[in-house]
Amino acid sequence: MSPSPTDTPHGPPRRRPAWAGRNYSLLTGAAVITNLGSHGALIAAAFAVLEAGGSGGDVGLVAAARTLPLVLFLLVGGALADRLPRHRVMVAANALNCLSQAAFAVLVLTGDPQLWQMMLLTALCGTGTAFFNPAAEGMLLSSVSGEHSNRAFALFRMAMNGAGIGGAALGGAMIAAIGPGWVLAVDAAAFALAGVLRAFLDVGHVAERAPGGGLLADLREGWVEVRTRPWLWSIVLQFSVVVAVVGAAEAVYGPLVARDRLGGPAPWGMALACFGAGTIAGALLMMMWKPRRLLLVGTLCVFPLALPSAGLAVPLPVWGLCTVMFVSGAAIEVFGVNWMTTMHQEIPEEKFSRVSAYDWFGSVSMLPLATALAGPAETAFGRTTALWGCAALVVLGTAAVLFVPDVRRLTRKPPPVRSAATATAPATAAPEAAPDTAREAARGSAAGVG
């Protein structure tokens, strides 16, 4: 009988797929831990402001303080992550997140937190995120091979978002039972544990990058990668609008509607958990489905992100809001997996973090402004009108992207065809393969597969 594909010559069968190497497993485990903490902490931060006597505008200011450093530091973070060992950047960022969230927790638990203090601490947390995200995405993209990327990204996102379900539901319940301070403390502990795991990432097989012309030269190279790809910069522009209005709706208007019409933080935590459940359903779908037109399918699935804003505008009862949150979660997960697969397919490995930084930068560039203006917009136009405006902007921005030819036409590349000689050759023969195959083999080595 032939051995199982997961058997090894010198040990017991693997407990994980052959493509899920050490780095991939560590990255997935750490992401699960941080999502358990952070989904509850986002709700906790909003209710900490409200319990301190803040208004909807104050909630928006604290949310803006978290996202403003993303705009300021993402590009620098991306350039550093392509210069320094990515895992070191990730661990340092986790340490900053841990300290800032721990201080926020102590502030809420022991005293009367002032608005400026909460804004400062959330800004420090956002700074850590700005350096973490490009490094983490570059590390993840380099940890899987092209042949298995769709399944790997779907499984990673399913695990991450599954943790978000528990984090949001548990966070909402904990806030209602014992207050937001303890949820912030749990988030700090989660960052500490995740940082320890990420310290064990293996970068020994990643080739050292040749010295470049400096930070500005690195940023220019990343910008060339973005501007020469219409599919990339058009979708980044689309998400600058989508992320801004969805962020304002969920960070500011959602907690207010929950407080005034739904019964408090627990129902809003349940709605966010249903969004997480939807992402799991979408990830399960993407583990089985490999659409040929990656970006066309993904973009069509952005339209349902208008549903939560519309549901809050009505407002729908809790079960109705949970339903639209589930649908939008499933849809955006289809986009997310297709987007990561496209980036993995089209962007050179040594530029992953810089291109990811431009992607993140464009996507969140308008979020601080949107969250800061959410309160004044509610005062000027009313909460219902503001929410309908958020839904309309999602629809209009997504429709505009469909006019870009590359978005409609970009297709999934088939896996490289290997001859019988190549299939039986030892792993050391990989550098002699064709360019695309060699690049994918290098990615497999970076992942620590086997």
Side-chain angles (χ1 to χ4, degrees):
M1 183 175 67
S2 61
S4 166
T6 57
D7 287 347
T8 58
H10 306 292
R14 295 173 182 259
R15 295 182 179 180
R16 62 192 182 203
W19 47 264
R22 181 171 179 269
N23 278 6
Y24 177 85
S25 300
L26 285 171
L27 289 167
T28 303
V32 167
I33 292 168
T34 52
N35 272 266
L36 279 170
S38 63
H39 276 68
L42 289 173
I43 308 172
F47 281 94
V49 176
L50 295 174
E51 289 187 5
S55 64
D58 293 334
V59 173
L61 288 174
V62 172
R66 181 185 297 271
T67 54
L68 183 59
L70 289 174
V71 178
L72 296 177
F73 298 117
L74 263 172
L75 297 183
V76 176
L80 286 177
D82 277 339
R83 280 178 165 265
L84 303 175
R86 288 172 179 149
H87 71 306
R88 293 184 182 175
V89 177
M90 296 165 69
V91 171
N94 282 167
L96 178 58
N97 289 141
C98 172
L99 293 174
S100 62
Q101 291 296 82
F104 197 174
V106 171
L107 187 70
V108 174
L109 289 170
T110 62
D112 182 21
Q114 302 299 307
L115 179 62
W116 71 267
Q117 295 171 321
M118 293 185 283
M119 290 178 64
L120 175 62
L121 291 171
T122 53
L124 288 175
C125 190
T127 300
T129 303
F131 285 90
F132 175 84
N133 283 348
E137 191 155 315
M139 198 77 191
L140 177 65
L141 290 173
S142 67
S143 72
V144 297
S145 65
E147 183 179 357
H148 301 291
S149 60
N150 198 85
R151 180 177 298 176
F153 296 146
L155 181 60
F156 174 84
R157 293 174 65 92
M158 181 174 64
M160 182 177 66
N161 292 318
I165 296 174
L170 181 62
M174 286 180 66
I175 294 166
I178 56 178
W182 289 108
V183 179
L184 294 167
V186 168
D187 190 36
F191 276 120
L193 179 56
V196 171
L197 290 179
R198 287 163 177 146
F200 289 97
L201 289 167
D202 180 14
V203 296
H205 295 88
V206 179
E208 291 188 10
R209 283 151 176 84
L215 188 64
L216 291 178
D218 285 351
L219 291 175
R220 282 195 297 270
E221 284 187 17
W223 172 243
V224 169
E225 294 292 327
V226 174
R227 70 175 177 81
T228 56
R229 291 175 166 84
W231 61 267
L232 179 54
W233 60 256
S234 63
I235 289 181
V236 170
L237 285 177
Q238 170 203 9
F239 270 81
S240 70
V241 175
V242 171
V243 170
V245 296
V246 171
E250 293 192 357
V252 180
Y253 299 136
L256 294 173
V257 173
R259 182 192 64 184
D260 298 340
R261 304 293 297 273
L262 301 179
W268 182 234
M270 186 184 303
L272 293 176
C274 286
F275 180 89
T279 63
I280 290 182
L284 285 171
L285 173 63
M286 292 309 297
M287 290 186 71
M288 300 177 289
W289 181 34
K290 294 183 177 181
R292 181 170 175 269
R293 295 188 183 271
L294 291 161
L295 294 181
L296 177 60
V297 170
T299 300
L300 291 174
C301 288
V302 179
F303 284 107
L305 280 188
L307 294 176
S309 295
L312 289 169
V314 172
L316 294 175
V318 174
W319 67 266
L321 185 60
C322 288
T323 300
V324 299
M325 292 288 278
F326 179 90
V327 171
S328 63
I332 198 56
E333 194 64 16
V334 174
F335 169 84
V337 173
N338 281 314
W339 179 251
M340 293 187 74
T341 303
T342 302
M343 294 278 282
H344 184 267
Q345 172 179 290
E346 300 293 328
I347 306 299
E349 189 276 334
E350 69 275 8
K351 298 178 182 177
F352 277 163
S353 290
R354 277 169 285 175
V355 173
S356 173
Y358 277 104
D359 175 19
W360 278 95
F361 174 80
S363 297
V364 304
S365 59
M366 294 176 61
L367 184 56
L369 181 63
T371 51
L373 292 179
E378 179 185 15
T379 302
F381 306 110
R383 188 185 302 166
T384 299
T385 301
L387 282 164
W388 281 118
C390 290
L393 286 171
V394 171
V395 172
L396 293 174
T398 303
V401 170
L402 293 175
F403 287 96
V404 178
D406 285 356
V407 171
R408 302 193 306 270
R409 298 172 185 168
L410 191 146
T411 58
R412 182 189 303 272
K413 293 180 181 177
V417 178
R418 291 186 287 180
S419 65
T422 303
T424 57
T428 54
E432 301 298 323
D436 284 346
T437 306
R439 184 173 65 199
E440 296 305 336
R443 287 175 180 171
S445 297
V449 175

